[in-house]
Amino acid sequence: MPKQERRCVACRQVGNQNDLIRIAKIDGEFVLDKLHKLGGRGAYICNNSNCLNLVIKKHLLNKAFKTNVNSSIYEELISYEQNN
Ligand SMILES: [Zn+2]
C-alpha cells in the first residue's frame, strides 16, 4: 500500500495518525472513521478543538472532498468536539 499523507485539512500540518481524526467517504456517504479502519477516500483533522472548530466553521471538508459534504458529518464533528 502506498503511504498516505495525513495532512490536517485545517492547519495543513502532517500529523501522526493517532493524533488525527479521519473522515472517510464511502459510497458517497461521509462517516467519522474513529478507528482509521474504513477504506475509501479520507480527510484528516487534528484532534484538537482549534482545527475541529475551523473545519466546522468554514466547512473545510467540502474543500477537501471537492463536493458538498452533508451537514450531518459537521454535526457529528460538533458533538465529537464537545465530548472531548
Ligand atoms: Zn490541524
Side-chain angles (χ1 to χ4, degrees):
M1 282 249 307
K3 215 177 178 184
Q4 233 185 321
E5 196 176 56
R6 298 184 179 87
R7 189 183 291 274
C8 170
V9 299
C11 66
R12 316 302 299 172
Q13 299 285 317
V14 176
N16 192 314
Q17 174 162 345
N18 299 327
D19 301 330
L20 294 163
I21 297 161
R22 185 174 192 261
I23 314 295
K25 183 187 184 190
I26 294 166
D27 296 333
E29 299 282 326
F30 296 92
V31 287
L32 199 56
D33 181 10
K34 286 179 187 143
L35 300 173
H36 297 242
K37 295 264 188 231
L38 304 174
R41 256 203 86 179
Y44 294 89
I45 310 165
C46 299
N47 195 357
N48 66 49
S49 40
N50 270 354
C51 289
L52 277 167
N53 283 326
L54 211 61
V55 169
I56 293 160
K57 221 163 53 180
K58 298 193 168 183
H59 284 208
L60 292 177
L61 290 176
N62 295 25
K63 262 189 205 165
F65 287 105
K66 299 189 174 72
T67 183
N68 264 330
V69 174
N70 48 327
S71 59
S72 61
I73 190 71
Y74 290 109
E75 283 157 24
E76 250 188 274
L77 287 176
I78 290 166
S79 58
Y80 181 89
E81 201 270 317
Q82 285 165 349
N83 289 319
N84 275 274

